[in-house]
Amino acid sequence: MKITVIGSGHVGLVTGACFAELGHDVICVDHDKKKLQTLKDGKIPFYEPGLDKLVHANYIEGRLSFSGDTISAVLASEIIFICVGTPSRKTGEVDMSAIKKTASQIAQALNGYKLVVEKSTVPVETGEWILKTLKKQAPKGVEFDVASNPEFLREGAAIHDFMHPDRVIIGVSSQKAASYLVQLYSPLNAPILMTDIKSAELIKHASNSFLAMKISFANMLANLCEKTGADVVKVAKGIGLDKRIGEDFLKAGIGYGGSCFPKDVSAFIHIGKKSGCNFKLIEEVRNINEERRMHFIKRLEKVIGKFKGKTIAIWGLSFKPETDDTREAPATYIIKELIKRKVKNIRAFDPKTMDNMKKIFPNIIYSKCPYEAIKGADALLILTEWKDFSHPDLLKIKASLKKPIIADGRNIYDPQKMKRMGFSYIPIGRL
Ligand code: UGA
């Protein structure tokens, strides 16, 4: 099939490359000229494991191309995926300007039956709005359908998630739209759930909010474990083994970040309020998450004393491992707080994210390797659980730090072992 993907970010580029890999002709569109040039030069504008090879192979074989011209791309395609950004406004409401602009551009290029699919995460009823816009702005008599097909792609595992989904959600209002999308996704052999468009839209916001709720639940438990001497890792394991609950997304830590959960939780709260529903449950999910970073700082402060004049080493800057994404990363909040508390130096190391973090914090020190960051530091903070940090030379860390203090926001080490080795080890939700 001939496919256009509008918006070549983390979702659009993965979607386009994966459909090309499945044998379709895909045009990835973006308005950012610099990004397009990077892609045409065979480079990927962000780090996503395996994406460079997939994009390159499909580009060379001619199934994947890049364009800045939305109208020509839509004219040449049967299916159009909208993958543009839907950032948050200050109120939590979704900023729909990119969706609105894209819908108008698509309307101008409708020249025969086309299926317009929203993949961007959007508030319920957006599909209805797109349909009305297309009806108003498209040439008379031209046929089209609108569908919702939300994405469930985790950064760092996006290709795997695309190729091996737990489920594919298809929200449609016509048989023709359903058959196009079933044809597209059937090679993946995944369960397909067919719904109306509004339900499909809601499934996405509800999924991300539910996962965020599990994380905040684990973080709430972590606070209780710290007060009572229980171990949140064991408690999470114990509840997660119940198949009705499940073990995933119960890792306590310094809170969820990234470009999705914080934005989608806020959007869901806004949608709930606007509809006159009680969404206090989700508001509390957000409150618990926002308290995490300060809780972590305060736990460290109890051991280290005043931050003023201290040198703090940080391992991990991205919002999670296997990505170079700093959006809403807990590290950004923690660094801001440390600067506010007048630390003398922050020395950071991350395997992939330092260039992006330099744009936000140009004045902290970026180290060439994890051990360079800790030399003479008053404490080491672990803020992202990169594999690179799983089995370090603990004796070397102990010898390098001024005092052997490690605050571990991701619970990657065994607290008993750390204590035996003489560390002042500060994990989350365990002693
Ligand atoms: C999330 C969803 O998992 C995807 O299904 C969805 O498609 C995507 O948002 C999106 O809406 O586009 P992502 O934000 O890439 O994916 O990453 P996750 O793996 O979900 O992690 C989100 C945050 O939760 C990270 O900061 C992570 O450290 C944190 N987390 C995750 C925890 O603190 N504890 C856990 O147990 C799991």
Side-chain angles (χ1 to χ4, degrees), residues 57-78:
N58 283 283
Y59 182 62
I60 295 293
E61 283 167 29
R63 286 191 299 271
L64 184 63
S65 59
F66 306 106
S67 169
D69 182 353
T70 309
I71 291 180
S72 307
V74 173
L75 281 169
S77 302
E78 305 158 87

Side-chain angles (χ1 to χ4, degrees), residues 11 121 151-155 204 208 211 215 248-252 255-261 264 319-320 330 385 410:
V11 172
T121 302
E151 53 84 16
F152 303 100
L153 310 176
R154 287 164 302 166
E155 284 184 27
K204 174 59 197 270
N208 274 5
L211 292 170
I215 299 169
D248 292 341
F249 283 74
L250 283 178
K251 275 198 217 102
Y256 58 77
S259 67
C260 304
F261 283 3
D264 292 349
F319 81 95
K320 60 180 263 188
E385 67 277 34
R410 303 292 185 172

Side-chain angles (χ1 to χ4, degrees), residues 2 95 124 137 150 160 167 195 222 244 247 270 352 364 377:
K2 294 196 183 311
D95 177 349
V124 59
Q137 299 183 13
H160 172 273
R167 80 301 204 189
T195 71
R244 294 170 301 174
E247 286 184 70
H270 192 271
K352 296 280 177 200
I364 67 171

